[in-house]
Amino acid sequence: MPLALVALAIGAFGIGTTEFVIMGLLPEIAADFGVSIPAAGLLVTGYALGVVAGAPVMTMLGTKINRKTMLMLLMGLFIAGNLLSAVAPVFGVMLAGRIVASLAHGAFFGIGSVVAAELVAPDKRAGAIAIMFTGLTVANIVGVPLGTFVGQAVGWRVTFGIVAALGVVGLAGVAKLVPDLPRPEGAHLRKELAAFRNVQVVLAMAMTVLGFGGVFAAITYIAPMMTEIAGYSAGAVTWLLVLFGIGMFLGNLTGGRFADRKLMPMLYVSLGGLAIVLALFTVTAHSKILAAATILLIGALGFATVPPLQKRVLDQAHGAPTLASVVNIGAFNLGNALSAWLGGVVISAGFGYTAPNWVGVALAGSALGLAFLSAALERRPRVAATEPLVQH
């Protein structure tokens, strides 16, 4: 395994920690700034929107820069955003710091995926991407609960200071271990944009939005679902999220391993399994033990889609994968935002706290349908190409 993948994973660990740790620290931050919890929730929304909007912008700005340099600049932006959050005197500055940090998120994972794929043989690419994303999954197992504990014990500003320090370690790792890969010949913005005319790239991104949306339809509302339906205490939710993180870790590695062998079958199994498990969650949510097991499976099946979907975009974008890869990272966050909104709609409509699971079933099932459509369209040109020979 190239050591450069370790450096990318460290950067991913820091980014994953800062993205999710805020959820456990909202009460403390709201109290310090004298704002309501819903207002403090803008720190989550602002970050997600920053990822979606910032990913393509940062990539387009970096089209003239080699990928290693761009990764280092992105880590510098990540450090600056977290330091700004750590010292913010007012809520508006804290929000600005979150947005600055979010601008590095999508571009780092997108460009990092391209770099990871280039560091290994073609039949190892999904596995290399999975190793980088391991940093994100481990962040949910270790970084988020530890950061939440530190923030609640000695202050949330300390947490963001530590995250900034993780960024420094990631920056040093990229500088030391990632090779100075040259920009591909003929790479320019027009060619990168042309990749979006490929229907297979668009279908892969739609699968990303819907498939990962299925995961977060349930997980966004996991706290009220587990406390009100399963009967867990509020303090147990943190450990249930750790269990979800363990599932993410296992699913990510499994998805990376099998996507290098049979990419589309891996998507069929993971998306189909996710839809089934989300449907079962409407029943298992009433049992503490079964609910915990289901949460683990949702994390595993949901993240098993990440390496194959990211590799699918890279493969289909051909000679101009960078912008497509980055936009696909934004698609994950778009899926999160869409599913959170739809889940809130069904709860507000009076269908109960388990209703978002049915939203997840619909989203994951739709992603599975798109996977079959994508495979059918891919087979069609090959059939057409053989027809003249048969007729002759």
Side-chain angles (χ1 to χ4, degrees), residues 50-74:
V51 174
V52 174
V57 172
M58 296 304 299
T59 303
M60 288 187 286
L61 291 175
T63 53
K64 302 297 183 182
I65 305 173
N66 71 50
R67 288 166 181 160
K68 175 178 179 175
T69 302
M70 191 61 192
L71 287 172
M72 292 172 64
L73 290 173
L74 290 169

Side-chain angles (χ1 to χ4, degrees), residues 324-370:
S325 176
V326 168
V327 172
N328 198 49
I329 298 298
F332 285 107
N333 284 269
L334 182 59
N336 297 354
L338 173 65
S339 62
W341 174 70
L342 290 174
V345 168
V346 295
I347 291 174
S348 298
F351 291 104
Y353 286 123
T354 60
N357 296 328
W358 290 116
V359 173
V361 172
L363 293 174
S366 298
L368 178 61
L370 290 180

Side-chain angles (χ1 to χ4, degrees), residues 72-93:
M72 292 172 64
L73 290 173
L74 290 169
M75 287 310 301
L77 198 62
F78 170 81
I79 295 165
N82 281 285
L83 285 176
L84 186 59
S85 295
V87 301
V90 294
F91 182 76
V93 175

Side-chain angles (χ1 to χ4, degrees), residues 283-379:
V283 177
T284 61
H286 295 269
S287 164
K288 286 184 177 181
I289 295 176
L290 293 179
T294 307
I295 290 169
L296 178 71
L297 286 174
I298 291 172
L301 290 166
F303 238 78
T305 67
V306 175
L309 283 171
Q310 196 69 2
K311 184 175 185 290
R312 180 77 173 166
V313 169
L314 293 177
D315 290 345
Q316 297 299 327
H318 302 302
T322 305
L323 184 59
S325 176
V326 168
V327 172
N328 198 49
I329 298 298
F332 285 107
N333 284 269
L334 182 59
N336 297 354
L338 173 65
S339 62
W341 174 70
L342 290 174
V345 168
V346 295
I347 291 174
S348 298
F351 291 104
Y353 286 123
T354 60
N357 296 328
W358 290 116
V359 173
V361 172
L363 293 174
S366 298
L368 178 61
L370 290 180
F372 284 118
L373 173 62
S374 176
L377 291 175
E378 196 169 35
R379 286 193 298 268

